Structures are given as C-alpha cells and as structure tokens.
Amino acid sequence: MSQLIVILGVTGVQGSSVADTYLQTTGWRIRGVTRDPTSDSAKEWAAKGVEIVKGDLDDVDSLKQAFVGADIIFGVTDFWTVFQDPESQKKKKPSQDLVEYCYDVELRQGKNIADAATTVPGLSRYIFSSMAHAGTSSNGKFAQVYHMNSKADAARYAQSLPALAGKFSQVQAPIYFQLPWQWGLPTTPKKAVDGTWRMAGVGPGDKGIPFGHVRKDLGPCVKSVAEAEPNVNLFAVGQYVSWSDYLRIFCETQSLEYGGYDELSYDRFCELLPGGLGHEFAHNVLFALEFGYEGIDPAVIRPEELGLKMTSFREYCQETDFSVLKGAE
C-alpha cells in the first residue's frame, strides 16, 4: 500500500523540489497544499498526478483536513510573501516595523502547522523548513534577523509538543543561488561602462557565503531526512561561494568579462533597500559570515553525512538561462 506525503507550499521553490523528488519515488502518493488550487501552477502539479487541496496557514482547521492520513508532512512558511502583501502594512501595529509584523505572522503560521500535525495519529515524520536563530547564535549581536528567528522559534515550538516527540526533524535551506540577482538586489551583477561586469554587496568579497540550488536539491535532502532517524537538523548547503567568486564564476560560464566586487556598508545597503528588506538581507549575510548560517545546534549535520551530492554554483550557472539578466546590460 502506498504512503502519503503532504507538502505545504507545493507551488513554491521548496515545495516543488520535494514534490519532484517524491514523484520519482515509488510507493508514494503526494498531496500538495496551496491557498489557491485554481492557480495555473497548482493545475500543473495536478496534471502530474499530485492531489491538490486547499489549505491556509492561518486556518488550523484547513491544515488538519489537509493532513488527514499523512505519513510525512513537509512544512514551510514564507516570510517574504507576508512582507510583499500590501495588506500587511494595514494590519501591522503602528509601532511595528513591517519585518517585525512579518515575524509575528510567520511564527504563528509555523505554530499552526505544528499544532495541526499533532492531530495525525499515523504520522511518521514532520519535517519543517527552518533556519538558525540568529539572535541566540550570535549572543544577541544579530538579534533582529526576523525571517530567521521566526522559523527557528517555530521549530522550537514543534520540538516542545509531546505529540511530535520522535517525529520531528528540520531542514535548513541555504541562501538561494538565484537570490542575489533574481530580486533585483544591489548584488545583481551589472555591466559597467568599461564593458566589465561588477556586483556590490554587504560584507567582504573573499569570504564564503552558504549558497545552494534549493529548487533542485532540497527535495532529495528532505527525502534523506525522512528516511533517517528523527530529530535530524540538516543544513542543506550546496557550496560556500564568496561574492568575488560568485561574480567570477558567473562571468566565466556566461563568457563575460569579470570586473570586480564593491563592498557596501550596512547603512548604504539599507538605503538602497528600504523598509526592512536591506536590513534583513544584510544582517542575514553578516551573521552567516561571522557566526555560521546554521547556528549553534550541535545536532546540525551537512548533506555529505547523508550521502547527498549537492549542485555547485558553476553547475547552476551552466544550466541556468541568464538572458533576462544579460539583456538588461
């Protein structure tokens, strides 16, 4: 008899990767949970054989219904969807920064997922997409990296629930390979007047930053965690790449001339990305450079410990279409 994995955010980057992996795994049925089952992306997954159901992270009852019969649940929350929602500006308290409000929402949603998971009697594993707590791991130096701390606090909550004892594990995603250019951040490689390509970012250009091909590699990581003993905390890092090497590899694979990296101060980065976005991204990177992105949990393991081969940044560049980025030169 086939087993059932329920995947939250099946139309997103992480959920899609998990769905791809289990579509290639015999003996498994897939139920994808999304807020809008009528969306084109949801219909595409349905056409592949995924059962699509409606679920809302703010509605525990809808999650309980979506989780019925699950053997494995993959839970993921999205700070940035809340951040980009115009309604968030209206809903936050006048005294709150938007990123602080997003922390509250994401933590509540993470708790909702865990609470709903406790109602599944035959559940084998609840795997949550978490991050390190930047405040705790840095002894308070980076106490307000809200998109990290919200996930870490949700993971702590799940670990505290007796009904999830012996069933809970975590996967920590690294910084996405595409993030520096896909959002139009200051880190986007750009063609300079002299014809070379340059990029600007926060932090020195020669220190490794934890990146990964999340869309391709997270699914196999989740599957390996599901097959391991519980209480695993896997840091699914693909490769540590410095800003200078990031640009150099990009240029080499795209036959472009390398120019160099320009370091921006934290204050300048926040000026370029106001509203809390610059703060979150800059402190995210600075925390990783100083304290390690995966935090201080001694139980954290790396992909090689589970026999996983991760995609390198060079491989990612070789298989990625950068025509939109290069067309903006």
Side-chain angles (χ1 to χ4, degrees):
M1 184 176 177
S2 61
Q3 293 182 289
L4 174 65
I5 179 169
V6 178
I7 302 171
L8 292 175
V10 70
T11 61
V13 173
Q14 296 189 29
S16 292
S17 184
V18 178
D20 274 342
T21 297
Y22 277 89
L23 278 173
Q24 301 168 33
T25 305
T26 57
W28 284 91
R29 294 178 293 118
I30 303 171
R31 181 181 297 154
V33 184
T34 179
R35 292 187 68 173
D36 183 8
T38 66
S39 69
D40 290 342
S41 53
K43 291 177 181 177
E44 288 175 6
W45 283 112
K48 295 178 183 179
V50 174
E51 177 193 0
I52 298 294
V53 300
K54 184 173 183 177
D56 187 335
L57 299 187
D58 292 310
D59 181 354
V60 178
D61 288 337
S62 75
L63 296 177
K64 290 178 181 179
Q65 186 61 39
F67 293 168
V68 169
D71 295 284
I72 295 174
I73 295 169
F74 172 69
V76 60
T77 54
D78 189 352
F79 181 97
W80 301 111
T81 294
V82 183
F83 182 86
Q84 293 173 315
D85 184 354
E87 290 297 313
S88 295
Q89 286 284 2
K90 302 175 185 177
K91 294 177 180 178
K92 74 178 187 68
K93 299 175 184 177
S95 60
Q96 276 186 316
D97 290 332
L98 178 58
V99 288
E100 185 179 3
Y101 168 80
C102 295
Y103 165 90
D104 290 343
V105 173
E106 187 173 36
L107 175 56
R108 183 178 69 245
Q109 292 177 343
K111 289 181 175 180
N112 287 345
I113 300 169
D115 286 339
T118 65
T119 67
V120 184
L123 186 68
S124 172
R125 195 75 77 246
Y126 168 41
I127 301 172
F128 181 63
S129 176
S130 69
M131 299 186 79
H133 195 288
T136 300
S137 299
S138 66
N139 292 316
K141 182 172 182 178
F142 294 100
Q144 295 178 320
V145 190
Y146 291 105
H147 77 282
M148 298 186 71
N149 295 346
S150 53
K151 297 176 183 65
D153 286 338
R156 288 176 178 173
Y157 176 78
Q159 288 173 311
S160 74
L161 298 175
L164 294 180
K167 299 180 179 182
F168 182 69
S169 286
Q170 305 174 58
V171 173
Q172 296 187 43
I175 298 173
Y176 294 18
F177 277 144
Q178 70 267 29
L179 181 62
W181 62 272
Q182 196 173 57
W183 275 31
L185 299 173
T187 49
T188 302
K190 294 182 176 67
K191 189 176 183 180
V193 175
D194 63 2
T196 64
W197 283 71
R198 305 188 67 86
M199 68 184 298
V202 67
D206 60 352
K207 293 188 68 174
I209 297 168
F211 285 101
H213 193 345
V214 176
R215 177 61 181 83
K216 182 177 182 180
D217 291 343
L218 192 82
C221 288
V222 169
K223 182 174 181 290
S224 292
V225 168
E227 294 171 351
E229 293 297 315
N231 303 313
V232 168
N233 188 346
L234 174 66
F235 179 39
V237 60
Q239 182 182 4
Y240 284 82
V241 186
S242 70
W243 288 127
S244 295
D245 284 344
Y246 186 102
L247 180 62
R248 192 183 308 278
I249 293 169
F250 167 75
C251 288
E252 288 174 357
T253 58
Q254 306 304 308
S255 300
L256 303 172
E257 187 176 354
Y258 173 84
Y261 169 75
D262 302 305
E263 182 175 353
L264 302 174
S265 68
Y266 165 79
D267 289 339
R268 178 57 179 154
F269 205 85
C270 291
E271 287 176 7
L272 294 170
L273 292 172
L277 180 58
H279 162 82
E280 288 291 315
F281 186 84
H283 270 202
N284 185 60
V285 172
L286 293 174
F287 166 74
L289 290 172
E290 186 170 351
F291 293 98
Y293 205 57
E294 68 273 35
I296 58 175
D297 183 351
V300 171
I301 63 173
R302 302 294 180 92
E304 57 268 23
E305 296 179 60
L306 293 179
L308 291 157
K309 183 183 182 302
M310 309 296 278
T311 304
S312 71
F313 183 56
R314 185 174 296 276
E315 290 169 333
Y316 168 80
C317 288
Q318 290 169 339
E319 66 184 46
T320 299
D321 181 4
F322 289 101
S323 58
V324 173
L325 178 60
K326 292 189 289 185
E329 52 179 279

